[in-house]
Amino acid sequence: DQQVKQNSPSLSVQEGRISILNCDYTNSMFDYFLWYKKYPAEGPTFLISISSIKDKNEDGRFTVFLNKSAKHLSLHIVPSQPGDSAVYFCAARAGYSGGYQKVTFGTGTKLQVIP
Amino acid sequence: DTEVTQTPKHLVMGMTNKKSLKCEQHMGHRAMYWYKQKAKKPPELMFVYSYEKLSINESVPSRFSPECPNSSLLNLHLHALQPEDSALYLCASSQGVVVNNEQFFGPGTRLTVL
């Protein structure tokens, strides 16, 4: 049972344009959401996060939007750059367990930014 | 130092071998994790250590044996693995007391079981 889904396996965007990556979840207990970027042969790198008490969080070119009623979040990258080409995972946590973060990862979206 | 290191980068082993994967962090994080990632799949959680105690074992077969000798080190001992265990093994760490924070990942060990 995949509780976190990224329905677009891949996305191509022209350099300078906006990239929008989407993520849907089913578990209403998720209260903290994160986006990670992964290059080949490297571990995931944290990008941005959002708590369920917010609906938007912005950090430079990256903005995450959360729609709790729709159980949907999205990552906007503006402007997109060729170095953003990577696999993007959304991740979600169902409550703080005390001392650690147990997250469930989505299936990933491969973003290609075309120069 | 905001880095999680993993050794070796690549490992090829036979089904009768015993080997170990190592992970180290010096960020003062008190939670450490092992994940397994197959090609074109998301990372799957295997084990979580919190304050050097095993907190989560996601029903991982006993041929994988984790060990946390101290707050900076995490090992994964491998014995009698199967070819289907071939994958990228990722180690991660996070702060223990902060409610909302991210995990820092190492580069992974690419394991091939022959």
Side-chain angles (χ1 to χ4, degrees), chain A residues 36 93 96 99 101-102 106, chain B residues 33 42 58 96 99-101 103:
Chain A
Y36 285 87
R93 185 198 71 190
Y96 177 60
Q101 307 280 333
K102 182 180 178 183
Chain B
Y33 312 75
E58 292 284 51
V99 174
N100 290 339
N101 67 95
Q103 294 175 28

Side-chain angles (χ1 to χ4, degrees), chain B residues 100-114:
Chain B
N100 290 339
N101 67 95
E102 71 274 19
Q103 294 175 28
F104 289 74
F105 283 82
T109 293
R110 174 71 60 188
L111 174 67
T112 303
V113 182
L114 301 176

